[in-house]
Amino acid sequence: MLEKTYDPNDTERRIAVAWEKAGVFRAGAGADARAETFSIVIPPPNVTGSLHMGHALNNTIQDILIRFERMRGKNVLWQPGMDHAGIATQMVVERKLYEKKQSRKEMGRKKFIQCVWNWCHDSGAIIANQLRRLGISCDWSRERFTMDERFSDAVLEVFVSLYKKGLIYKDKQLVNWDPKLLTAISDLEVEQKEIKGNLWYFRYPLEGVLFNPLDSSTFVVVATTRPETMLGDVAIAVNPNDRLHAKLVGRRVILPFVGRKLSIISDDSVDPESGSGLVKITPAHDFNDFDIGRRHRLALISVLDRKADIVLKKNFEFMKGLERSFLLNELILKLDGQNRFVGRKKILEMMKEAGYLHEIKPYSHMVPHGDRSGVPIEPILTDQWYINAAELAKPAISSVHECSTNLIPKGWKKTYFYWMDNIKPWCISRQLWWGHQIPAWYGPDGKVFVEKTEKEAEAVALHYYGQKMRLVRDQDVLDTWFSSALWPFASLGWPQKTEDLNMYYPTNILVTGFDLIFFWVARMMMMSLHFMDQVPFRTVFMHALVRDKSGAKMSKSKGNVVDPLQLMDEYGADALRFSLVMMAGQGCDLKVDSARIAGYRNFCTKLWNAARFCKMNAPMQDFDFVPEETQLNVNRWVLTELTRVSSHVTESIASYRFHEAATALYSFVWNTFCDWYLELIKPLLQNSSHSDLIEIKGCVSWCLDNVYKLLHPFMPFITEDLWAMSKTARSDLLAVTRWPLLHFRDEGAADDMNWLVELVSAIRSLRGDLSLPSKLQVVLVIVGADDFDCKRLSSYQSMIKRLARIEKITFFNESPTLAAQMVFRNMILCIPIGSLLDVEVEQVRLRREIEKILKKIAKITEKLSNNQFIEKAKSEIVMAERKRLEEYQILKERTERALAFFDSNN
RNA sequence: GGGCGAUUAGCUCAGAUGGCAGAGCACCUCGUUUACACCGAGGGUGUCGGGAGUUCAAGUCUCUCAUCGCCCACCA
């Protein structure tokens, strides 16, 4: 005998092992030689990560598709793997070292990298096991890592190839610099945050007049949010159409303290409405100013170093040709080596003291921050490697236009195009140690040799110099997303021409969160199209992001992280999976609420108990059940409903409407199968012929077996477990059993049983209105039944009696006295309850009923008397309305008759 | 500043191609009917955010306004 409740913990662990042992997740397992393929590459989780709700959702969706297609007999590959996650992993390991009072720098690069590798080996298995715990069925025998040897080979191949085509190049540009992590980052890794600060208005004295803070003709006013960069100012710009200020063009101002002479220039990009209308230009510390500087050939004067500390003394260009005034000396003394925040304060003090501070206005504006470090980034002039993304984007754009790749939901196309159409060079070098080191070697004269190996680089250098020269390798590593972009083809063995690539590329679908559309999806499109000449996936399914109960993003610092492992321990992996799917509509947010997960845990218990009932009442039969051979309408009905739900589920999964599939199954199992079918057959189990009993028992088990199959992609553990216990299970695991394709339908039986369900519900509702004790058996008197009704009533009377607690059904022409009445279709149902009946209450109830009906009738009549409606609406709609009207009129007439009976007998 | 999405029952949300407003949870009443109390039966009057338009017909399509959220953007 089974326990009353399902215990997921033991079961899930046991079954996960069984699957793995049987090798059923191997690519192509169980498929025919000529089967269609279906492939997915997993979004590789960070190697140091641990399972969070986003992973749980993402992998559940993929697993549903994979299990579904595997059961449909396809040759399925789900390629797993992990990402080395450059910055993230390096940060984690550095933090660990810091706890041990060690540092990366002291350790040296080689040792540090070894340390990271050790950490990866330890940590990598954790998330893989957590994914197994969730039941995901990827082929772990083929696990790949974005830093493994074969993958590195792909990375080198791509880098060298793009370099030689001129699509990768080195450039000295302003770059987003993270002063905490001390590396360049790409535009995408910059987060704009609104900061409430000030706008400071400075007075810069005009050249050739004596500066007087009280005389506005002796200075110009410029506004800035970044006072600390003023020492790098090289010009002042105004809009040429700014009537107020354009006349200043050509004059010069003196940069306070420093004494540098700044020309006032005109440039279209200046907004005369903004700030004071005059902008100070600091090309070394601002992207916009950098462009203006380039247009006007202005000098670049850098006053911040890589740590964003102010550097004055060491700055040769800054000092050149300047007399060091007293003030300048003082400035250097106060500022040199200070960090940017202190520097700002000190500059402001000095400006104020010297009368150069004109005004301060509170001002809130967007300040770029590093997404990992959280500190404000600095635009800094450095040498970095870039990809010409605009070039690579072209085929990636047209492929989506041509629908070679479909984005779901399709609204994301617009976002994709907008970004791709405006894509800028992608900075791919990072000043980190953990990652793919850039395959570039430099000769003594700085000449760069880009080759896959040092040997090859040396060979080329030998040819170039005519003699052997010492080469030094570029110290930088590549952006993690550079290697992630190769995932769909490199994980299948590229650059080798592998059988896997042949068979499984392009993949069918990529499942990912919409937050990765630029970081990852777009870049995979670019790289894959360039190197494979084919899209990486036919479909991209973008799902919502998991939020907490109140809709906020989960983060460790907020402490609102919901741990999927804990939820699985509490409710089981199946319940978690089911709730994620139920919530994964196509919105943007998905709120996790444990009450809901508990609800699906209850659903597991419900299913478990249906199986338990089956085991108790319909144990093993040596019987090959064939739906077409059934005789009993109750069976033919439930089989019809099962066919309906199975095709609904199949269609829904195939079109990625997972929520719909899950809802259909939930409602079939709970409402149709448990609440009605099992209740309906209970009386039959005690009191039926042998052949009927065999049919019923066969039908119950057969339905459950099919339910297990249909539910398996959603709830793999419990269904596998129940499958193993069910009579029809031979040695096969459910995971590789064929998906059911059901055809049996008997609409007549379905009509009968749906009528029965409605009838019983109506009687129960009437009983409820009368507050009859549920144990009380009553007599049901039926008035106005026709032959058809009578036939139905007698065929199903044992079911009706049991489910509605009726001791006897009789037929009358008139309603009996002291009976509660209710109209059901064209009959009046009466329950004579004698003195228990409160006639007045009944009258009120019936009157209210009539009122409702009249409203409906009025509405439909209005519709039908509208000629436009009759003329223009589809004929089946008009017919349906007429039929409804007829039904309501019968209802009205019968209800009035019931009421009249009371009125006349009172 | 631009783009996208949301607004439906107390809460969380479903409602493809317009045609009788739904589910789960919560709540109330009743119930130890031999699978399940993680259960069963019964219980819903919601200006479908406001306004306008198209249509015989609008939660659904168009416009507009409001509120909220997200993404993108170099603006001092």
Side-chain angles (χ1 to χ4, degrees):
Chain A
M1 174 64 71
L2 296 177
E3 292 298 318
K4 276 191 175 183
T5 53
Y6 166 66
D7 169 27
N9 275 313
D10 290 348
T11 314
E12 288 173 358
R13 282 168 224 279
R14 175 166 47 79
I15 285 170
V17 171
W19 284 330
E20 200 109 354
K21 212 169 148 193
V24 291
F25 301 159
R26 290 280 173 91
D32 295 342
R34 277 177 304 176
E36 202 181 321
T37 59
F38 182 86
S39 56
I40 300 183
V41 290
I42 202 170
N46 288 355
V47 68
T48 59
S50 80
L51 193 76
H52 58 64
M53 290 301 280
H55 293 127
L57 170 68
N58 176 256
N59 287 290
T60 297
I61 292 172
Q62 291 174 79
D63 195 50
I64 288 166
L65 286 165
I66 285 285
R67 286 184 187 267
F68 172 65
E69 298 294 3
R70 188 187 289 122
M71 289 175 83
R72 290 218 286 183
K74 290 193 185 165
N75 178 333
V76 164
L77 163 68
W78 189 3
Q79 172 65 49
M82 312 252 171
D83 197 296
H84 69 279
I87 295 184
T89 307
Q90 178 161 331
M91 278 173 74
V92 171
V93 176
E94 276 194 272
R95 209 176 302 135
K96 294 269 161 199
L97 287 177
Y98 182 77
E99 283 166 15
K100 289 190 280 182
K101 302 228 156 54
Q102 288 178 296
S103 88
R104 163 168 76 100
K105 292 258 164 68
E106 283 165 23
M107 199 172 235
R109 183 162 184 155
K110 212 171 161 188
K111 235 178 133 187
F112 177 74
I113 288 176
Q114 190 51 52
C115 201
V116 179
W117 271 110
N118 292 342
W119 168 255
C120 287
H121 287 310
D122 294 347
S123 162
I126 293 176
I127 190 159
N129 283 327
Q130 291 172 332
L131 287 169
R132 285 183 175 92
R133 169 98 175 78
L134 187 66
I136 77 158
S137 65
C138 46
D139 183 353
W140 289 107
S141 70
R142 315 163 55 113
E143 188 178 344
R144 297 293 304 273
F145 183 46
T146 57
M147 284 278 277
D148 68 30
E149 213 174 302
R150 286 164 66 202
F151 209 97
S152 297
D153 196 39
V155 171
L156 295 174
E157 178 76 29
V158 165
F159 189 94
V160 173
S161 160
L162 289 177
Y163 176 78
K164 294 194 169 167
K165 288 174 191 159
L167 291 167
I168 284 184
Y169 55 92
K170 201 168 185 182
D171 198 9
K172 195 177 192 106
Q173 282 273 344
L174 271 196
V175 75
N176 299 305
W177 183 266
D178 189 314
K180 186 174 174 194
L181 298 172
L182 300 175
T183 177
I185 55 177
S186 71
D187 297 344
L188 285 179
E189 289 157 280
V190 174
E191 273 176 6
Q192 303 288 341
K193 289 186 193 168
E194 184 160 333
I195 300 290
K196 281 188 186 125
N198 289 318
L199 192 57
W200 289 276
Y201 291 75
F202 288 165
R203 300 171 183 137
Y204 282 10
L206 279 158
E207 188 187 31
V209 290
L210 190 64
F211 173 62
N212 175 357
L214 302 176
D215 179 357
S216 66
S217 70
T218 67
F219 56 83
V220 300
V221 174
V222 292
T224 181
T225 52
R226 303 223 38 208
E228 65 278 16
T229 64
M230 68 163 280
L231 305 173
D233 288 358
V234 297
I236 303 289
V238 300
N239 189 296
N241 301 320
D242 179 354
R243 257 177 267 155
L244 195 63
H245 297 112
K247 57 180 188 289
L248 290 166
V249 174
R251 295 190 66 179
R252 299 205 291 184
V253 299
I254 313 285
L255 184 62
F257 311 126
V258 179
R260 187 186 305 126
K261 298 185 171 67
L262 315 178
S263 299
I264 299 177
I265 58 174
S266 84
D267 193 283
D268 290 333
S269 70
V270 178
D271 175 4
E273 304 298 317
S274 192
S276 64
L278 294 115
V279 196
K280 57 190 214 53
I281 306 299
T282 324
H285 294 293
D286 183 281
F287 288 102
N288 197 32
D289 291 4
F290 183 82
D291 289 340
I292 296 179
R294 209 161 38 182
R295 281 201 286 277
H296 297 270
R297 305 217 169 109
L298 301 173
L300 285 152
I301 295 176
S302 178
V303 295
L304 295 173
D305 69 6
R306 306 261 159 131
K307 285 188 281 182
D309 291 342
I310 293 179
V311 179
L312 299 179
K313 249 188 280 188
K314 284 187 207 149
N315 190 324
F316 178 72
E317 275 199 280
F318 171 67
M319 300 298 298
K320 200 162 61 176
L322 292 173
E323 271 179 53
R324 293 178 66 159
S325 64
F326 169 75
L327 273 175
L328 180 56
N329 272 326
E330 192 186 324
L331 184 85
I332 292 172
L333 208 64
K334 276 195 175 166
L335 289 176
D336 205 24
Q338 298 288 351
N339 79 39
R340 48 189 165 160
F341 308 110
V342 176
R344 172 178 299 184
K345 229 186 257 169
K346 299 210 160 160
I347 286 212
L348 285 168
E349 278 167 17
M350 288 186 69
M351 290 294 278
K352 192 176 173 191
E353 266 173 42
Y356 295 130
L357 183 58
H358 186 71
E359 196 181 359
I360 305 174
K361 282 188 188 164
Y363 188 70
S364 75
H365 62 140
M366 301 301 259
V367 177
H369 286 69
D371 66 349
R372 291 279 170 189
S373 65
V375 302
I377 65 111
E378 285 294 339
I380 281 190
L381 194 65
T382 54
D383 278 309
Q384 301 288 346
W385 291 91
Y386 292 88
I387 287 188
N388 180 345
E391 193 56 37
L392 291 173
K394 285 176 192 166
I397 293 167
S398 51
S399 298
V400 174
H401 272 300
E402 291 153 11
C403 294
S404 306
T405 292
N406 283 302
L407 269 49
I408 300 175
K410 58 180 182 298
W412 290 109
K413 272 191 190 181
K414 205 164 177 174
T415 311
Y416 175 86
F417 288 135
Y418 182 80
W419 192 71
M420 286 295 237
D421 289 340
N422 296 290
I423 199 163
K424 282 184 238 153
W426 170 18
C427 173
I428 51 171
S429 44
R430 297 287 179 276
Q431 288 65 50
L432 304 171
W433 286 354
W434 176 240
H436 294 282
Q437 195 171 351
I438 289 174
W441 284 264
Y442 301 96
D445 55 351
K447 165 79 183 168
V448 61
F449 301 94
V450 172
E451 299 295 339
K452 286 178 75 173
T453 63
E454 183 156 13
K455 263 199 185 133
E456 287 171 71
E458 278 170 350
V460 179
L462 181 65
H463 186 257
Y464 177 80
Y465 291 113
Q467 55 175 311
K468 194 171 159 85
M469 291 287 201
R470 213 176 89 80
L471 299 183
V472 180
R473 185 165 185 178
D474 196 307
Q475 294 296 296
D476 290 354
V477 300
L478 289 166
D479 182 0
T480 303
W481 295 106
F482 184 92
S483 52
S484 312
L486 319 181
W487 185 246
F489 54 99
S491 65
L492 296 175
W494 191 91
Q496 312 297 318
K497 290 198 171 87
T498 60
E499 189 50 38
D500 282 348
L501 276 172
N502 210 7
M503 182 112 106
Y504 296 116
Y505 188 92
T507 63
N508 292 73
I509 184 168
L510 176 83
V511 178
T512 189
F514 64 79
D515 52 331
L516 292 183
I517 186 164
F518 307 140
F519 272 114
W520 196 41
V521 178
R523 287 159 174 180
M524 283 192 283
M525 289 293 287
M526 294 194 272
M527 289 296 203
S528 303
L529 279 158
H530 189 85
F531 287 97
M532 299 297 294
D533 213 24
Q534 263 194 93
V535 293
F537 18 73
R538 299 278 176 224
T539 299
V540 181
F541 180 83
M542 273 167 293
H543 54 70
L545 299 186
V546 182
R547 304 281 154 105
D548 75 356
K549 214 168 23 184
S550 54
K553 212 168 177 171
M554 288 189 190
S555 74
K556 276 181 196 157
S557 56
K558 277 188 214 153
N560 61 347
V561 177
V562 179
D563 181 5
L565 295 158
Q566 208 177 318
L567 291 173
M568 283 192 274
D569 286 342
E570 197 168 346
Y571 303 108
D574 289 329
L576 175 65
R577 289 171 59 116
F578 208 79
S579 14
L580 287 169
V581 170
M582 284 296 238
M583 293 185 287
Q586 306 204 327
C588 277
D589 299 342
L590 184 158
K591 290 167 200 165
V592 176
D593 177 9
S594 62
R596 193 127 184 219
I597 304 173
Y600 298 120
R601 183 267 323 268
N602 297 353
F603 178 58
C604 290
T605 309
K606 190 74 185 175
L607 181 68
W608 179 262
N609 275 288
R612 190 162 172 263
F613 174 84
C614 176
K615 237 178 150 42
M616 289 164 72
N617 292 287
M620 297 277 244
Q621 303 279 316
D622 306 321
F623 183 82
D624 281 325
F625 181 81
V626 180
E628 285 72 16
E629 291 170 4
T630 49
Q631 301 295 318
L632 298 172
N633 270 354
V634 65
N635 292 336
R636 295 176 75 82
W637 160 72
V638 79
L639 292 165
T640 303
E641 294 297 324
L642 183 61
T643 300
R644 234 195 286 275
V645 75
S646 79
S647 45
H648 190 180
V649 168
T650 307
E651 277 164 35
S652 301
I653 300 179
S655 51
Y656 317 115
R657 298 194 309 268
F658 306 104
H659 147 90
E660 211 171 295
T663 308
L665 282 165
Y666 182 95
S667 130
F668 176 79
V669 169
W670 203 308
N671 306 125
T672 308
F673 190 76
C674 292
D675 287 347
W676 288 104
Y677 178 70
L678 291 184
E679 293 305 323
L680 286 167
I681 62 166
K682 272 178 188 174
L684 303 183
L685 284 170
Q686 291 160 356
N687 189 11
S688 285
S689 67
H690 180 67
S691 64
D692 282 358
L693 264 181
I694 291 190
E695 182 183 308
I696 291 164
K697 291 178 180 183
C699 186
V700 173
S701 321
W702 195 84
C703 285
L704 274 174
D705 278 358
N706 281 293
V707 162
Y708 300 154
K709 291 178 193 172
L710 294 169
L711 267 174
H712 185 255
F714 302 89
M715 308 203 307
F717 291 106
I718 188 173
T719 50
E720 187 75 75
D721 196 36
L722 291 173
W723 173 257
M725 291 178 216
S726 102
K727 67 181 170 55
T728 50
R730 285 131 202 137
S731 55
D732 285 352
L733 285 168
L734 179 56
V736 281
T737 306
R738 286 291 175 264
W739 187 253
L741 294 167
L742 308 181
H743 303 289
F744 179 81
R745 275 175 196 273
D746 180 344
E747 298 300 341
D751 281 351
D752 267 18
M753 297 312 295
N754 290 331
W755 168 86
L756 173 66
V757 164
E758 277 178 50
L759 174 69
V760 171
S761 302
I763 299 169
R764 282 171 174 172
S765 176
L766 180 58
R767 292 181 61 119
D769 286 344
L770 299 169
S771 305
L772 295 182
S774 50
K775 255 185 166 175
L776 184 73
Q777 299 266 335
V778 294
V779 172
L780 177 66
V781 179
I782 297 198
V783 177
D786 59 21
D787 290 350
F788 190 58
D789 291 327
C790 290
K791 222 169 129 193
R792 272 176 164 172
L793 283 160
S794 72
S795 331
Y796 300 111
Q797 64 170 309
S798 69
M799 292 173 176
I800 296 166
K801 282 179 178 168
R802 182 184 161 107
L803 295 182
R805 312 246 116 204
I806 302 293
E807 61 176 346
K808 195 174 153 205
I809 301 176
T810 57
F811 299 89
F812 268 45
N813 289 329
E814 282 295 332
S815 304
T817 47
L818 295 174
Q821 307 185 41
M822 172 182 257
V823 177
F824 176 73
R825 302 212 177 169
N826 51 354
M827 308 182 283
I828 301 175
L829 310 177
C830 309
I831 301 180
I833 50 172
S835 58
L836 283 175
L837 189 79
D838 184 330
V839 173
E840 271 174 41
V841 171
E842 284 305 290
Q843 285 169 315
V844 168
R845 196 169 61 78
L846 289 168
R847 279 203 194 96
R848 228 179 16 222
E849 207 54 42
I850 291 166
E851 212 133 294
K852 269 192 214 162
I853 297 166
L854 284 173
K855 267 186 196 158
K856 294 271 188 190
I857 289 176
K859 214 173 155 188
I860 302 169
T861 312
E862 192 194 328
K863 223 176 190 181
L864 284 170
S865 56
N866 180 346
N867 284 332
Q868 302 265 36
F869 174 71
I870 306 290
E871 280 165 31
K872 293 189 179 169
K874 279 175 270 176
S875 61
E876 61 263 34
I877 299 289
V878 179
M879 298 241 290
E881 287 296 319
R882 289 212 169 103
K883 201 171 158 222
R884 273 183 67 210
L885 181 62
E886 237 169 78
E887 281 166 10
Y888 274 116
Q889 267 158 352
I890 292 171
L891 201 57
K892 180 189 144 223
E893 182 205 314
R894 301 287 151 125
T895 314
E896 275 168 351
R897 188 168 145 192
L899 179 64
F901 183 80
F902 278 120
D903 289 345
S904 62
N905 284 280
N906 205 10

